[in-house]
Amino acid sequence: MALQATGNAAAALAAARTEQEDDRALGFWLYLMSDAVIFALLFATYAVMVVRTAGGPDGHALFHLTHTAIETTLLLLSSITFGFAAIAAKAGRREGVLAWLLVTFALGVGFVGMEIAEFHAAVAQGAGPERSGFLSAYFTLVGTHGLHVTMGLVWIGILWVQVLLRGVTPQAASRLYRLSLFWHFLDIVWIGIFSVVYLPGIR
Amino acid sequence: MADTIVLKAACASDGESLHLQGVAGRGGATRILGRRRGGRRRLADALGLCAALALSGCGRDQLPVIAARGPIALAERNLLFTAAAVMLIVVIPVFVMAFWFTWRYRASHPKAPYKPHWSYDWRIDMIVWLVPAAIVIALGYLVWTKTHRLDPYRPLVASRLPLRVDVVAEDWKWLFIYPGQKIAVANELVFPADRPLSLRLTSDTVMNSFYIPGLGGQIYAMAGMQTRLHLRADGPGSFVGRNTQYSGIGFPDQYFAVHAVSAASFRAWVARVKHAPKTLDAAAYAALAKPSTRFPVTYYSAYEPGLFDRILHKYTARMRAPVPPPAPHPGGN
Amino acid sequence: MLGRLTLHALPFYSLIALGGALVTVLAGLAVLGVVAWFGAWRYLWQEWLTSVDHKRIGMMYIIMALVMLLRGFVDAIMMRTQQAVALNSQGYLPPGHFDQVFSSHGTIMIFFVAMPFLTGLINIVVPQQIGARDVAFPFMNSLSLGLTAAGAGLVLISLVLGKFSAAGWTAYPPYSELKFSPGVGVDYWIWAVLISGVGSTLTGINFVVTIVARRAPGMHLMRMPLFTWTAFCTVILMVFAFPALTVASALLGLDRTLGMHFFTNGHGGDMMNYINMFWMWGHPEVYIVVLPSFGVYSEVVATFSGKPLFGYKSVVFATMAIALLSFMVWLHHFFTMGASANVNAFFGITTMIIAVPTGVKIFNWLLTMYRGRIRMVAAMYWTVGFIVTFTIGGMTGVLLAIAPVDYLMHNTTFLVAHFHNMLIGGALFGYFAGYQYWFPKATGFRLDETWGKRAFWAWFVGFYLAFMPLYVLGFMGMPRRLERYYVPSWQPLLLVAELGALTILTGIICQIIQLVVSVRNRAALRDTTGDPWDGRTLEWMTASPPAAYNFAVLPHVHGVDELALRKESGSHMNPPGIYHDLEPCRDIVVPNNTGAGPLIGALAFGLGFAMVWYIWWLAILAGLGIWGLLVMRSFDDNDLHVIPAAEVERTETGRLSAAAR
């Protein structure tokens, strides 16, 4: 009797976990949608503020095509490498997941580093976020994206450790799936930033 | 005086006035508003007053919204009454049904019919959707037409040209600049009762809302932005105007006197202001703009030209050239 | 070390502020004292604070809402008293104090009464109504509660340390910018709203997934009970509307803390951008607040009329229409800010269109009563009182939707009367009806009916006394938020309004007495059947209070009002009147309790407090702490445990035998 109950319990737990992971995927989609609303409003704010330079520098004075192009390349490449990590996870190859996550992480760090450099240069020439409405909106929109990427990097780190310690468990696989949604979402947002902020701003 | 030129003459001469003519051609605020001054107004007045008096036990002057004393306020008030009356078509049945059903079908009333399964009837459902929908369509038509007709930006058409006043909200007072008369006044708005008022508004501080209850609706005054408001009085009289948007510690005292006066009195008043000892130079303006409560009514015999636009553009951040102020009315003093 | 926080933050500048601070501190100490007296720390922590059971979380939400209601009501009565006496004088409040009072009143009532109350009701009821054992994300649910409590805590502590915002509950810039509001008040507002707003967004996500994915077999969307439907629309609105508030308040915070220029006067700021974003959240928020009440009325009116809701599909479509339209009307909050006539007319008309589905609902509730057998219990009093009151509010709302009428009435007490008409007569009456209706489900015993009815009458009469004069005062041109005034004819009406506030106070006292009396008589009021009202929906099939797993056997649903259907067919009723499924019990998986939710809530409070006072080290520490807890949580893969079939069997048998007695 006791044995049978244990057997039932394991099955019940497994079923509950599957349901949980399915729910988490749906929940994560909802989170992304509400995050998309945040970005939409930041984009709208930027669009309103882009002319409000208050006599300070505008995009032409601040943005550089090569810098942005390299940044974009890094982020887009990181999306591809994340894709490889996902493929490795599907095949259950722990080493593949670890390696590709590492590459993705490195590319992401490069992206964030370049963004910090860009911000630093702007602040150094007196074009910090407190200079004008335009710069407040620029720093906030791009910075919010950068903050998201940074959180993604932390998340990659955590998942890397989990995969290293426990292998590609169903939980890890499900987390990897949600992280990939997040990472690709940030890519899409970046394409928006590239088109709305940098393209019109670059000479 | 120049401002006695009638509209028709002005129309022929100037683009700005052609705009006025266009407005008149589309229906004419004066005609519309004027028609309202017949029996319907008296009836509505009486009804509104009775209701309000019964509740408050006070006189006509205390109910500036009900006892409107300008055509704009009157039209807005009448719109309120009309819409309220139309809605009674739904509201009264709801009240009757609420009380009747609660009483009639109470569980302790054994003879009342009980139909535990009756939960739908498409005919009733149709009525329930269509009656409110019909009312909203009717009211929607009213909203569309009246919102355009009573647009605060829309110049009023009258036999005499409007008086232009530029209004600046300050902490916690109001500055009225009379560009035609080249005078400025703090905390008092005087205008000839036989001419419409054409106001441009901005703020040199936080958001304010400019409201003279007896004369018409309100409009916000915001820094770096210009809003417009057109008002008119039925005849000579005094009003109280105020800021209605909370703006800080001096907000309760931020009201001002409004006087609609005869043309002769207005001329006399302008002459008096023109002889006032103070002028609104940079120092006087700085003193005025400093936050203070209960700022006394102050007359400035002159002000630095372009003051309103300077206040406005102090906060406009765009790099393009400042918006030119609207062309002055031909002959407007 | 402590940023801006010095001894000057203590409220020694006025006796009234000091009194408020003392009451807050003493009340807090009293609660701690009571817990210590009963030695209930462990019980409180293990059974409640760390609980991830949606019923308990729901009850904690409602307790928070009721406590904050008292706090918000103190503000209300202070305002009424001030205005009753402040003719040609300063009144009894020190200058500027009134402004904090109206700001904290609005903030508290919207964010920390309405939101937790409706979230609590949704928590308790929705999983049971859809035949689920739990919500989709039990830990996240506890986290949402923690974040909401953190926000409420910030508002409460602002009474003791520093001053609260004077910029109103909407915090319109540029007044709310550092230049015009240099103190910590607006920062308290920003962080309270930001933190609790994140909690609400998470609640929204949680319940959308719960309702989409956790419905019992056979529970099609068009079989969901009305309260679940309205909750569904509400939580969808939460997911999509709250980000707008987050952005608006966060950008305001960036302006204030980092000197940016989103909404400032000059330097390229654009205050209209705030107004737009605030109301893009603010108007859906109105429906977030009122839709759950519509759900409560739908349940209550059907149950106590002994009939199915009239026109179920109509009401569902009306609800969806309201939710959808609520995103298209935000501009009606600022008709007077100079938008063009086309824009104003468009938004006026969309606003009016909402009146159609709302009117449909009113008629459908009335038609549900038609040819019913109405049991006039307290919950039904609230419902009928709502129908009458809300209709008046709807009428004044349509009036305000007409832009030219709004030019006249905007910012006057007419507007104040209108939205209190909707929020008290619409939303709050519904929460009280739900409180009365589901109290036995949550606690196992009913609330006293007599005191409930007394409370209703006091609230009902008090509401009319308090707010009808404000409508008239609006016609008299009295603006809102007025600390003192110079028009003698306003005073009589303000005295009547004061009388109304006192009458409402009587109602609140009746509710406190009701709670005490009910707890004392709980043996007599005990509900052993799980179905005290002859209910029609699934939540009345569980025990009162329900077991941790709600349903021993997940029900199969065959139609709207599943329990009513089963009662008619007579199946599964053994002993009579009690639902009992004949299937054998199985092992049931439930989540483990966790302290992460309340701990993150506490850290979020610390973060908010640190940001308000510029205590940067504490902010960094709290932020890292939150991250650390979340990371730890992600390493914990053993967050579920099993209740063995035998134990389920025992619990269920015990329940049946208790009911049979």
Side-chain angles (χ1 to χ4, degrees), chain B residues 251-269:
Chain B
F251 167 69
D253 300 319
Q254 200 181 358
Y255 54 87
F256 55 93
V258 183
H259 302 291
V261 297
S262 68
S265 311
F266 181 67
R267 278 194 298 274
W269 178 80

Side-chain angles (χ1 to χ4, degrees), chain B residues 62 148 211 218 246 253 294, chain C residues 99 342 408 410 484 486:
Chain B
Q62 269 83 50
H148 283 85
Y211 185 30
Q218 62 199 291
Y246 178 77
D253 300 319
R294 302 195 171 223
Chain C
D99 315 336
N342 281 336
L408 278 185
H410 183 68
R484 54 186 184 274
Y486 307 93

Side-chain angles (χ1 to χ4, degrees), chain A residues 69-112:
Chain A
I70 299 172
E71 251 183 314
T72 309
T73 315
L74 286 181
L75 198 66
L76 293 187
L77 270 181
S78 81
S79 240
I80 297 172
T81 56
F82 202 109
F84 288 134
I87 293 171
K90 212 158 213 170
R93 286 187 293 113
R94 178 161 158 266
E95 282 67 34
V97 175
L98 289 175
W100 284 116
L101 278 186
L102 215 57
V103 176
T104 311
F105 186 85
L107 290 167
V109 168
F111 172 84
V112 173

Side-chain angles (χ1 to χ4, degrees), chain B residues 62 65 101 105 107 114-119 125 129 143 148 205 211 218 220 223 244 246 251 253 294 317, chain C residues 99 166 265 268 306-308 311 314 336 342 352 366 370-371 374 407-408 410-411 475-476 481 484 486 489 568:
Chain B
Q62 269 83 50
V65 177
F101 290 174
Y105 299 107
Y114 176 42
K115 291 206 168 175
H117 292 287
W118 185 78
S119 67
D125 206 25
W129 278 94
V143 169
H148 283 85
T205 174
Y211 185 30
Q218 62 199 291
Y220 273 61
T244 64
Y246 178 77
F251 167 69
D253 300 319
R294 302 195 171 223
Chain C
D99 315 336
N265 268 1
K307 279 175 68 207
S314 258
T336 51
N342 281 336
M352 286 187 169
L366 287 168
Y370 178 69
R371 300 202 164 171
I374 304 169
Y407 302 153
L408 278 185
H410 183 68
N411 267 346
F475 288 125
M476 298 167 82
R481 297 176 171 172
R484 54 186 184 274
Y486 307 93
S489 59
E568 271 165 35

Side-chain angles (χ1 to χ4, degrees), chain C residues 549-623:
Chain C
Y549 47 78
N550 296 349
F551 298 91
V553 176
L554 288 183
H556 283 256
V557 179
H558 307 90
V560 184
D561 290 359
E562 172 69 14
L563 182 59
L565 289 179
R566 292 193 184 201
K567 282 176 182 169
E568 271 165 35
S569 70
S571 64
H572 304 301
M573 290 295 161
N574 180 34
I578 297 171
Y579 166 76
H580 172 55
D581 218 312
L582 296 173
E583 282 181 55
C585 294
R586 290 174 195 209
D587 289 344
I588 294 174
V589 179
V590 290
N592 296 342
N593 285 359
T594 166
L599 285 179
I600 291 177
L603 286 168
F605 173 82
L607 175 67
F609 186 79
M611 292 303 293
V612 167
W613 291 100
Y614 300 168
I615 311 173
W616 308 121
W617 61 268
L618 179 61
I620 294 169
L621 228 57

